Amino acid sequence: YKARGAFCGMRRVMETEGCRDFLAVSTGNHALGVLKAAELLRPDRVKIVVPNNTSPTKLRGINGKVLALRHKGVDASVLYIGDGFDEARQWALNLQGGGDAYYLDPYSNPWVVAGQGTIGLELYRQLAPLLADRPEIREVVLLSPIGGGGLLAG
């Protein structure tokens, strides 16, 4: 799941703003990334907002990670808001500035996107040695499935 962006975003906010309370909206992968980042960085609180149409499989994973975080002393919770991602995200965006929680957006937060972008560097490091002896190859095409598009934003 997408821990790169969530970790980068959460760490940066904790270091520069001293924030220890986070909010994220997701139908699965971003939530799992935020929860993994919370496991490593141990903020005080993490709220995961999921729409009511979230996959039961993803919900099981999210709820399992939330429970594990609670056992490690992080106040973690899941909120069910709206019938779809856009509705849940709008709810979270409306909270910005009105509370103490920092909203880690999967698409527009520059640190989350920068963290996701590290996958490009990793791919380059893996491909460069393979292509060094093949000057006839001028481009490489990367095919990637897209759910919400957060990883590809990076």
Side-chain angles (χ1 to χ4, degrees), residues 1-132:
Y1 42 85
K2 301 185 288 189
R4 295 167 186 265
F7 182 85
C8 183
M10 186 178 287
R11 181 174 176 205
R12 181 70 178 184
V13 170
M14 288 175 80
E15 289 174 352
T16 61
E17 299 181 30
C19 181
R20 301 192 53 81
D21 187 355
F22 293 89
L23 173 70
V25 177
S26 176
T27 57
N29 290 338
H30 181 60
L32 292 170
V34 168
L35 293 168
K36 181 63 176 178
E39 178 186 338
L40 298 169
L41 297 170
R42 301 290 170 89
D44 295 333
R45 188 173 301 112
V46 177
K47 293 178 192 154
I48 302 297
V49 177
V50 296
N52 290 308
N53 68 348
T54 302
S55 152
T57 302
K58 293 288 185 178
L59 284 176
R60 278 192 294 280
I62 292 167
N63 285 317
K65 295 285 184 187
V66 163
L67 185 59
L69 269 180
R70 286 182 190 156
H71 289 298
K72 294 180 180 183
V74 176
D75 180 8
S77 60
V78 178
L79 304 172
Y80 297 86
I81 305 289
D83 292 326
F85 179 82
D86 291 341
E87 202 173 320
R89 184 173 185 259
Q90 190 57 54
W91 181 86
L93 288 170
N94 289 340
L95 283 182
Q96 284 188 126
D100 296 328
Y102 185 93
Y103 175 53
L104 278 176
D105 191 78
Y107 310 111
S108 65
N109 182 286
W111 294 108
V112 172
V113 173
Q116 302 297 29
T118 62
I119 198 166
L121 297 171
E122 187 177 323
L123 288 169
Y124 175 77
R125 283 192 208 111
Q126 291 176 18
L127 286 172
L130 299 171
L131 298 175

Side-chain angles (χ1 to χ4, degrees), residues 123-141:
L123 288 169
Y124 175 77
R125 283 192 208 111
Q126 291 176 18
L127 286 172
L130 299 171
L131 298 175
D133 297 329
R134 308 279 311 269
E136 72 278 10
I137 299 177
R138 297 181 183 261
E139 65 183 50
V140 175
V141 176

